[in-house]
Amino acid sequence: MARPYSQRAREQLNATSADDILLVLLEIRHPQLAVPVRVVNDTQNIVVEGNEFIACAFDVTLPDDSDNQV
């Protein structure tokens, strides 16, 4: 299944010198958490759709889009 990116995001991903950077937002939910943990891979906190994401350095490796793989 392909990942949905906006047209603007696709342009930035394919640009040799992008105007904007793409930020990785991570939201962790669990029944034992009163509120979700929200972090952004950046040096500054950011508010998205009314939710504050706390700046935190992390790496994300997404699985490939191939079907029938673990």
Side-chain angles (χ1 to χ4, degrees):
M1 172 183 242
R3 291 185 187 85
Y5 292 106
S6 69
Q7 179 62 33
R8 179 75 176 143
R10 285 193 300 274
E11 291 169 1
Q12 295 300 304
L13 286 169
N14 292 324
T16 55
S17 179
D19 297 329
D20 300 318
I21 59 166
L22 294 176
L23 300 176
V24 177
L25 303 175
L26 175 63
E27 181 175 85
I28 302 170
R29 294 175 175 263
H30 190 275
Q32 294 182 353
L33 293 173
V35 294
V37 174
R38 294 181 178 101
V39 293
V40 59
N41 189 12
D42 199 10
T43 58
Q44 299 178 41
N45 295 356
I46 188 172
V47 176
V48 176
E49 295 181 357
N51 297 310
E52 183 177 21
F53 288 78
I54 307 301
C56 178
F58 62 89
D59 289 322
V60 174
T61 303
L62 299 174
D64 61 26
D65 289 339
S66 301
D67 289 336
N68 301 320
Q69 291 189 3
V70 177

